[in-house]
Amino acid sequence: MRVPSTYRQRGLKFNITPMIDIVFLLVIFFLVSTHFVNSEHREDLALPTATQSDDRPTTPRRLVINLLSDGEMRVNGRTVDLPAVVQMLQQDAAEGIDDYEVQIRGDREVTYNHVEPILLACARHGITRVGFKKLDESLQGHSRAP
């Protein structure tokens, strides 16, 4: 029987060459893609001028209602109750609802029975532009401050 001439090491060896290849390919991809994005903005174009345009901003009037996890409603940093929100909606709808929207920002723990009265009030006053967003945890702690 032949005695092995090389000594075998115990343990694991990782071949990281494929991982390095992939990382370099990703770096090259992002460098090339950002170059193309930057070159699109540098193109000098002679854009046509509009003779019949309206330069007024098209940003809608917006009412943002924050619903906290305990059911508390806040508008513009103030704690309000449902009748006050309904009154705000009624006043804003009287001014015109063409460019008016309501944005409801709620905590994930808010139940639908806190949201439903706001939606019904919007429907009663003809407000159809209603949006929903999740209330950020960082903002929730800040909005509870007096």
Short mmCIF file of all heavy atoms in Angstrom, two decimals, residues 48-101:
data_model
loop_
_atom_site.label_atom_id
_atom_site.label_comp_id
_atom_site.label_asym_id
_atom_site.label_seq_id
_atom_site.Cartn_x
_atom_site.Cartn_y
_atom_site.Cartn_z
N PRO A 48 -40.12 73.24 -28.32
CA PRO A 48 -41.07 74.20 -28.86
C PRO A 48 -41.71 75.02 -27.75
O PRO A 48 -41.81 74.58 -26.61
CB PRO A 48 -42.11 73.33 -29.57
CG PRO A 48 -42.02 72.02 -28.87
CD PRO A 48 -40.60 71.87 -28.45
N THR A 49 -42.12 76.20 -28.09
CA THR A 49 -42.82 77.05 -27.12
C THR A 49 -44.31 76.95 -27.37
O THR A 49 -44.78 76.94 -28.51
CB THR A 49 -42.38 78.52 -27.25
OG1 THR A 49 -42.60 78.94 -28.59
CG2 THR A 49 -40.91 78.67 -26.91
N ALA A 50 -45.05 76.85 -26.29
CA ALA A 50 -46.49 76.74 -26.38
C ALA A 50 -47.10 78.13 -26.42
O ALA A 50 -46.73 79.01 -25.64
CB ALA A 50 -47.04 75.96 -25.20
N THR A 51 -48.02 78.35 -27.32
CA THR A 51 -48.65 79.66 -27.43
C THR A 51 -49.97 79.71 -26.68
O THR A 51 -50.42 80.78 -26.33
CB THR A 51 -48.92 80.00 -28.90
OG1 THR A 51 -49.74 78.99 -29.47
CG2 THR A 51 -47.61 80.11 -29.67
N GLN A 52 -50.56 78.57 -26.43
CA GLN A 52 -51.85 78.53 -25.74
C GLN A 52 -51.76 77.60 -24.54
O GLN A 52 -52.36 76.53 -24.51
CB GLN A 52 -52.95 78.06 -26.68
CG GLN A 52 -53.14 78.94 -27.87
CD GLN A 52 -54.16 78.36 -28.83
OE1 GLN A 52 -54.60 77.24 -28.67
NE2 GLN A 52 -54.53 79.13 -29.82
N SER A 53 -51.02 78.00 -23.54
CA SER A 53 -50.86 77.16 -22.37
C SER A 53 -51.27 77.92 -21.12
O SER A 53 -51.32 79.15 -21.11
CB SER A 53 -49.42 76.69 -22.23
OG SER A 53 -48.60 77.78 -21.91
N ASP A 54 -51.55 77.16 -20.10
CA ASP A 54 -51.91 77.72 -18.82
C ASP A 54 -50.78 77.40 -17.85
O ASP A 54 -50.51 76.23 -17.59
CB ASP A 54 -53.23 77.10 -18.34
CG ASP A 54 -53.79 77.80 -17.13
OD1 ASP A 54 -53.25 78.84 -16.75
OD2 ASP A 54 -54.78 77.30 -16.58
N ASP A 55 -50.09 78.42 -17.34
CA ASP A 55 -48.92 78.21 -16.50
C ASP A 55 -49.25 78.11 -15.02
O ASP A 55 -48.35 78.10 -14.20
CB ASP A 55 -47.91 79.34 -16.71
CG ASP A 55 -47.29 79.29 -18.09
OD1 ASP A 55 -47.28 78.19 -18.68
OD2 ASP A 55 -46.84 80.34 -18.58
N ARG A 56 -50.51 78.04 -14.68
CA ARG A 56 -50.86 77.92 -13.27
C ARG A 56 -50.48 76.54 -12.76
O ARG A 56 -50.60 75.55 -13.47
CB ARG A 56 -52.36 78.14 -13.06
CG ARG A 56 -52.78 79.58 -13.26
CD ARG A 56 -54.23 79.73 -12.99
NE ARG A 56 -54.95 79.08 -14.10
CZ ARG A 56 -56.24 78.86 -14.10
NH1 ARG A 56 -56.97 79.21 -13.08
NH2 ARG A 56 -56.83 78.29 -15.13
N PRO A 57 -50.04 76.47 -11.51
CA PRO A 57 -49.70 75.16 -10.97
C PRO A 57 -50.97 74.30 -10.82
O PRO A 57 -52.05 74.82 -10.53
CB PRO A 57 -49.08 75.47 -9.60
CG PRO A 57 -49.57 76.82 -9.26
CD PRO A 57 -49.81 77.54 -10.56
N THR A 58 -50.81 73.01 -11.01
CA THR A 58 -51.96 72.12 -10.94
C THR A 58 -51.99 71.33 -9.63
O THR A 58 -52.59 70.27 -9.57
CB THR A 58 -51.94 71.13 -12.11
OG1 THR A 58 -50.73 70.39 -12.05
CG2 THR A 58 -52.07 71.85 -13.43
N THR A 59 -51.31 71.83 -8.60
CA THR A 59 -51.33 71.13 -7.33
C THR A 59 -52.69 71.32 -6.67
O THR A 59 -53.18 72.44 -6.54
CB THR A 59 -50.23 71.65 -6.39
OG1 THR A 59 -50.40 73.05 -6.22
CG2 THR A 59 -48.86 71.35 -6.94
N PRO A 60 -53.32 70.24 -6.28
CA PRO A 60 -54.64 70.35 -5.69
C PRO A 60 -54.57 70.84 -4.24
O PRO A 60 -53.56 70.72 -3.57
CB PRO A 60 -55.16 68.92 -5.75
CG PRO A 60 -53.95 68.08 -5.71
CD PRO A 60 -52.88 68.87 -6.42
N ARG A 61 -55.69 71.39 -3.81
CA ARG A 61 -55.81 71.70 -2.39
C ARG A 61 -55.98 70.36 -1.69
O ARG A 61 -56.64 69.46 -2.18
CB ARG A 61 -57.02 72.59 -2.14
CG ARG A 61 -56.90 73.96 -2.76
CD ARG A 61 -58.13 74.80 -2.54
NE ARG A 61 -59.30 74.15 -3.12
CZ ARG A 61 -60.46 74.01 -2.50
NH1 ARG A 61 -60.62 74.45 -1.29
NH2 ARG A 61 -61.48 73.42 -3.08
N ARG A 62 -55.37 70.23 -0.52
CA ARG A 62 -55.35 68.93 0.13
C ARG A 62 -55.61 69.07 1.62
O ARG A 62 -55.11 69.98 2.26
CB ARG A 62 -53.98 68.30 -0.10
CG ARG A 62 -53.80 66.96 0.54
CD ARG A 62 -52.44 66.38 0.28
NE ARG A 62 -52.26 66.22 -1.15
CZ ARG A 62 -51.08 66.24 -1.75
NH1 ARG A 62 -50.00 66.43 -1.06
NH2 ARG A 62 -50.99 66.09 -3.05
N LEU A 63 -56.40 68.15 2.13
CA LEU A 63 -56.62 68.03 3.57
C LEU A 63 -56.03 66.69 3.98
O LEU A 63 -56.44 65.64 3.49
CB LEU A 63 -58.11 68.08 3.92
CG LEU A 63 -58.44 67.87 5.40
CD1 LEU A 63 -57.90 69.03 6.23
CD2 LEU A 63 -59.93 67.74 5.60
N VAL A 64 -55.02 66.73 4.87
CA VAL A 64 -54.37 65.51 5.35
C VAL A 64 -54.87 65.22 6.75
O VAL A 64 -54.76 66.05 7.65
CB VAL A 64 -52.83 65.66 5.35
CG1 VAL A 64 -52.17 64.40 5.87
CG2 VAL A 64 -52.34 66.00 3.97
N ILE A 65 -55.45 64.03 6.91
CA ILE A 65 -56.00 63.61 8.20
C ILE A 65 -55.14 62.45 8.70
O ILE A 65 -55.03 61.42 8.04
CB ILE A 65 -57.46 63.17 8.07
CG1 ILE A 65 -58.31 64.29 7.50
CG2 ILE A 65 -58.00 62.71 9.41
CD1 ILE A 65 -59.70 63.87 7.09
N ASN A 66 -54.51 62.63 9.84
CA ASN A 66 -53.69 61.57 10.45
C ASN A 66 -54.53 60.83 11.49
O ASN A 66 -55.08 61.46 12.40
CB ASN A 66 -52.46 62.16 11.13
CG ASN A 66 -51.51 62.77 10.14
OD1 ASN A 66 -51.25 62.20 9.09
ND2 ASN A 66 -51.00 63.94 10.46
N LEU A 67 -54.62 59.51 11.35
CA LEU A 67 -55.34 58.68 12.31
C LEU A 67 -54.31 57.87 13.09
O LEU A 67 -53.60 57.05 12.52
CB LEU A 67 -56.30 57.73 11.59
CG LEU A 67 -57.47 58.37 10.88
CD1 LEU A 67 -58.25 57.33 10.10
CD2 LEU A 67 -58.37 59.05 11.86
N LEU A 68 -54.24 58.12 14.39
CA LEU A 68 -53.28 57.41 15.23
C LEU A 68 -53.88 56.10 15.71
O LEU A 68 -55.08 55.85 15.58
CB LEU A 68 -52.87 58.29 16.39
CG LEU A 68 -52.28 59.65 15.98
CD1 LEU A 68 -51.88 60.44 17.21
CD2 LEU A 68 -51.12 59.47 15.05
N SER A 69 -53.06 55.24 16.28
CA SER A 69 -53.49 53.89 16.64
C SER A 69 -54.59 53.89 17.69
O SER A 69 -55.40 52.96 17.73
CB SER A 69 -52.30 53.08 17.15
OG SER A 69 -51.73 53.70 18.28
N ASP A 70 -54.68 54.92 18.52
CA ASP A 70 -55.73 54.96 19.54
C ASP A 70 -57.02 55.61 19.02
O ASP A 70 -57.95 55.84 19.78
CB ASP A 70 -55.24 55.69 20.78
CG ASP A 70 -54.76 57.11 20.49
OD1 ASP A 70 -54.75 57.49 19.30
OD2 ASP A 70 -54.39 57.82 21.44
N GLY A 71 -57.10 55.91 17.73
CA GLY A 71 -58.30 56.49 17.15
C GLY A 71 -58.29 58.00 17.13
O GLY A 71 -59.24 58.63 16.65
N GLU A 72 -57.23 58.62 17.64
CA GLU A 72 -57.13 60.07 17.67
C GLU A 72 -56.91 60.61 16.25
O GLU A 72 -56.15 60.04 15.48
CB GLU A 72 -55.96 60.46 18.57
CG GLU A 72 -55.73 61.94 18.69
CD GLU A 72 -54.53 62.24 19.58
OE1 GLU A 72 -53.98 61.32 20.20
OE2 GLU A 72 -54.16 63.41 19.64
N MET A 73 -57.60 61.71 15.91
CA MET A 73 -57.46 62.35 14.60
C MET A 73 -56.67 63.64 14.77
O MET A 73 -56.92 64.41 15.69
CB MET A 73 -58.83 62.68 14.02
CG MET A 73 -59.56 61.54 13.45
SD MET A 73 -61.02 62.09 12.58
CE MET A 73 -62.26 61.26 13.54
N ARG A 74 -55.72 63.84 13.82
CA ARG A 74 -54.93 65.07 13.84
C ARG A 74 -54.94 65.69 12.46
O ARG A 74 -54.75 64.99 11.47
CB ARG A 74 -53.49 64.79 14.26
CG ARG A 74 -53.37 64.44 15.70
CD ARG A 74 -51.91 64.41 16.11
NE ARG A 74 -51.86 64.51 17.54
CZ ARG A 74 -51.42 65.57 18.20
NH1 ARG A 74 -50.97 66.60 17.55
NH2 ARG A 74 -51.39 65.59 19.50
N VAL A 75 -55.17 66.99 12.42
CA VAL A 75 -55.12 67.77 11.18
C VAL A 75 -54.25 68.98 11.46
O VAL A 75 -54.51 69.73 12.40
CB VAL A 75 -56.54 68.21 10.73
CG1 VAL A 75 -56.46 69.09 9.51
CG2 VAL A 75 -57.41 67.00 10.47
N ASN A 76 -53.21 69.16 10.66
CA ASN A 76 -52.27 70.28 10.82
C ASN A 76 -51.67 70.32 12.22
O ASN A 76 -51.49 71.38 12.80
CB ASN A 76 -52.94 71.61 10.51
CG ASN A 76 -53.33 71.73 9.07
OD1 ASN A 76 -52.71 71.12 8.20
ND2 ASN A 76 -54.36 72.49 8.80
N GLY A 77 -51.39 69.14 12.79
CA GLY A 77 -50.76 69.08 14.11
C GLY A 77 -51.70 69.28 15.27
O GLY A 77 -51.27 69.23 16.42
N ARG A 78 -52.98 69.50 15.00
CA ARG A 78 -53.96 69.69 16.08
C ARG A 78 -54.84 68.46 16.20
O ARG A 78 -55.24 67.87 15.20
CB ARG A 78 -54.87 70.88 15.79
CG ARG A 78 -54.20 72.22 15.79
CD ARG A 78 -55.23 73.30 15.59
NE ARG A 78 -56.43 72.79 14.92
CZ ARG A 78 -57.12 73.44 14.01
NH1 ARG A 78 -56.75 74.62 13.64
NH2 ARG A 78 -58.19 72.91 13.47
N THR A 79 -55.19 68.12 17.42
CA THR A 79 -56.13 67.03 17.65
C THR A 79 -57.53 67.56 17.39
O THR A 79 -57.93 68.60 17.92
CB THR A 79 -56.03 66.52 19.10
OG1 THR A 79 -54.68 66.09 19.33
CG2 THR A 79 -56.96 65.36 19.34
N VAL A 80 -58.28 66.84 16.54
CA VAL A 80 -59.64 67.25 16.19
C VAL A 80 -60.56 66.05 16.36
O VAL A 80 -60.12 64.90 16.41
CB VAL A 80 -59.72 67.77 14.74
CG1 VAL A 80 -58.93 69.05 14.57
CG2 VAL A 80 -59.25 66.73 13.76
N ASP A 81 -61.85 66.34 16.45
CA ASP A 81 -62.83 65.26 16.52
C ASP A 81 -63.55 65.16 15.18
O ASP A 81 -63.33 65.97 14.27
CB ASP A 81 -63.81 65.49 17.67
CG ASP A 81 -64.51 66.84 17.58
OD1 ASP A 81 -64.14 67.65 16.71
OD2 ASP A 81 -65.43 67.08 18.38
N LEU A 82 -64.41 64.17 15.04
CA LEU A 82 -65.08 63.92 13.78
C LEU A 82 -65.95 65.09 13.32
O LEU A 82 -65.91 65.45 12.14
CB LEU A 82 -65.89 62.63 13.85
CG LEU A 82 -66.57 62.22 12.56
CD1 LEU A 82 -65.55 61.97 11.46
CD2 LEU A 82 -67.43 60.99 12.78
N PRO A 83 -66.74 65.74 14.19
CA PRO A 83 -67.53 66.88 13.72
C PRO A 83 -66.67 68.02 13.16
O PRO A 83 -67.06 68.68 12.20
CB PRO A 83 -68.31 67.33 14.96
CG PRO A 83 -68.41 66.12 15.80
CD PRO A 83 -67.14 65.37 15.57
N ALA A 84 -65.50 68.23 13.73
CA ALA A 84 -64.61 69.28 13.21
C ALA A 84 -64.09 68.91 11.82
O ALA A 84 -63.99 69.76 10.94
CB ALA A 84 -63.45 69.51 14.17
N VAL A 85 -63.79 67.62 11.61
CA VAL A 85 -63.33 67.17 10.30
C VAL A 85 -64.44 67.32 9.27
O VAL A 85 -64.23 67.78 8.15
CB VAL A 85 -62.82 65.71 10.36
CG1 VAL A 85 -62.57 65.16 8.98
CG2 VAL A 85 -61.56 65.62 11.20
N VAL A 86 -65.67 66.96 9.66
CA VAL A 86 -66.81 67.09 8.76
C VAL A 86 -67.03 68.55 8.40
O VAL A 86 -67.32 68.89 7.24
CB VAL A 86 -68.07 66.46 9.39
CG1 VAL A 86 -69.31 66.78 8.58
CG2 VAL A 86 -67.90 64.96 9.54
N GLN A 87 -66.86 69.44 9.37
CA GLN A 87 -67.02 70.87 9.10
C GLN A 87 -65.94 71.37 8.14
O GLN A 87 -66.22 72.16 7.23
CB GLN A 87 -66.97 71.66 10.41
CG GLN A 87 -67.22 73.14 10.22
CD GLN A 87 -67.17 73.88 11.54
OE1 GLN A 87 -66.83 73.31 12.57
NE2 GLN A 87 -67.51 75.14 11.50
N MET A 88 -64.70 70.89 8.30
CA MET A 88 -63.63 71.28 7.38
C MET A 88 -63.95 70.81 5.97
O MET A 88 -63.76 71.55 5.00
CB MET A 88 -62.30 70.66 7.82
CG MET A 88 -61.68 71.26 9.04
SD MET A 88 -60.14 70.39 9.40
CE MET A 88 -60.02 70.68 11.14
N LEU A 89 -64.43 69.57 5.85
CA LEU A 89 -64.78 69.04 4.54
C LEU A 89 -65.91 69.84 3.91
O LEU A 89 -65.90 70.12 2.71
CB LEU A 89 -65.18 67.56 4.66
CG LEU A 89 -64.07 66.59 5.03
CD1 LEU A 89 -64.64 65.21 5.30
CD2 LEU A 89 -63.02 66.53 3.95
N GLN A 90 -66.89 70.22 4.71
CA GLN A 90 -68.02 70.99 4.19
C GLN A 90 -67.57 72.37 3.70
O GLN A 90 -67.98 72.81 2.62
CB GLN A 90 -69.08 71.14 5.29
CG GLN A 90 -70.34 71.81 4.84
CD GLN A 90 -71.36 71.87 5.97
OE1 GLN A 90 -71.04 71.57 7.12
NE2 GLN A 90 -72.56 72.25 5.64
N GLN A 91 -66.72 73.03 4.45
CA GLN A 91 -66.24 74.35 4.05
C GLN A 91 -65.39 74.26 2.78
O GLN A 91 -65.54 75.08 1.87
CB GLN A 91 -65.42 74.98 5.17
CG GLN A 91 -66.22 75.42 6.36
CD GLN A 91 -65.34 75.88 7.51
OE1 GLN A 91 -64.13 75.72 7.48
NE2 GLN A 91 -65.97 76.43 8.54
N ASP A 92 -64.50 73.27 2.73
CA ASP A 92 -63.64 73.14 1.55
C ASP A 92 -64.44 72.73 0.33
O ASP A 92 -64.13 73.15 -0.79
CB ASP A 92 -62.52 72.14 1.82
CG ASP A 92 -61.52 72.65 2.86
OD1 ASP A 92 -61.49 73.88 3.08
OD2 ASP A 92 -60.79 71.84 3.43
N ALA A 93 -65.46 71.91 0.50
CA ALA A 93 -66.29 71.50 -0.64
C ALA A 93 -67.11 72.67 -1.15
O ALA A 93 -67.41 72.76 -2.34
CB ALA A 93 -67.21 70.35 -0.24
N ALA A 94 -67.48 73.60 -0.27
CA ALA A 94 -68.23 74.77 -0.70
C ALA A 94 -67.38 75.68 -1.58
O ALA A 94 -67.90 76.37 -2.45
CB ALA A 94 -68.74 75.54 0.52
N GLU A 95 -66.06 75.66 -1.38
CA GLU A 95 -65.16 76.49 -2.20
C GLU A 95 -64.92 75.88 -3.57
O GLU A 95 -64.44 76.54 -4.46
CB GLU A 95 -63.83 76.66 -1.48
CG GLU A 95 -63.92 77.46 -0.20
CD GLU A 95 -62.60 77.50 0.54
OE1 GLU A 95 -61.55 77.14 -0.07
OE2 GLU A 95 -62.59 77.89 1.70
N GLY A 96 -65.23 74.61 -3.73
CA GLY A 96 -65.04 73.92 -5.01
C GLY A 96 -64.26 72.65 -4.81
O GLY A 96 -63.28 72.62 -4.08
N ILE A 97 -64.71 71.59 -5.47
CA ILE A 97 -64.08 70.29 -5.26
C ILE A 97 -63.31 69.81 -6.48
O ILE A 97 -62.84 68.68 -6.53
CB ILE A 97 -65.12 69.23 -4.87
CG1 ILE A 97 -66.20 69.12 -5.94
CG2 ILE A 97 -65.70 69.51 -3.52
CD1 ILE A 97 -67.16 67.99 -5.73
N ASP A 98 -63.18 70.67 -7.50
CA ASP A 98 -62.49 70.23 -8.70
C ASP A 98 -61.02 69.94 -8.44
O ASP A 98 -60.45 68.99 -9.00
CB ASP A 98 -62.60 71.29 -9.80
CG ASP A 98 -64.04 71.44 -10.27
OD1 ASP A 98 -64.81 70.47 -10.14
OD2 ASP A 98 -64.38 72.52 -10.77
N ASP A 99 -60.37 70.73 -7.61
CA ASP A 99 -58.95 70.54 -7.33
C ASP A 99 -58.71 70.23 -5.86
O ASP A 99 -57.72 70.60 -5.29
CB ASP A 99 -58.16 71.77 -7.74
CG ASP A 99 -58.55 73.00 -6.94
OD1 ASP A 99 -59.65 73.00 -6.35
OD2 ASP A 99 -57.77 73.97 -6.91
N TYR A 100 -59.62 69.50 -5.23
CA TYR A 100 -59.55 69.24 -3.80
C TYR A 100 -59.41 67.74 -3.56
O TYR A 100 -60.08 66.93 -4.20
CB TYR A 100 -60.81 69.76 -3.10
CG TYR A 100 -60.77 69.63 -1.62
CD1 TYR A 100 -59.94 70.43 -0.86
CD2 TYR A 100 -61.56 68.70 -0.96
CE1 TYR A 100 -59.90 70.32 0.51
CE2 TYR A 100 -61.53 68.58 0.42
CZ TYR A 100 -60.69 69.39 1.15
OH TYR A 100 -60.65 69.28 2.51
N GLU A 101 -58.52 67.37 -2.66
CA GLU A 101 -58.37 65.96 -2.32
C GLU A 101 -58.18 65.80 -0.82
O GLU A 101 -57.68 66.70 -0.14
CB GLU A 101 -57.24 65.31 -3.09
CG GLU A 101 -55.87 65.61 -2.60
CD GLU A 101 -54.80 64.85 -3.38
OE1 GLU A 101 -55.02 64.51 -4.56
OE2 GLU A 101 -53.73 64.62 -2.80
#
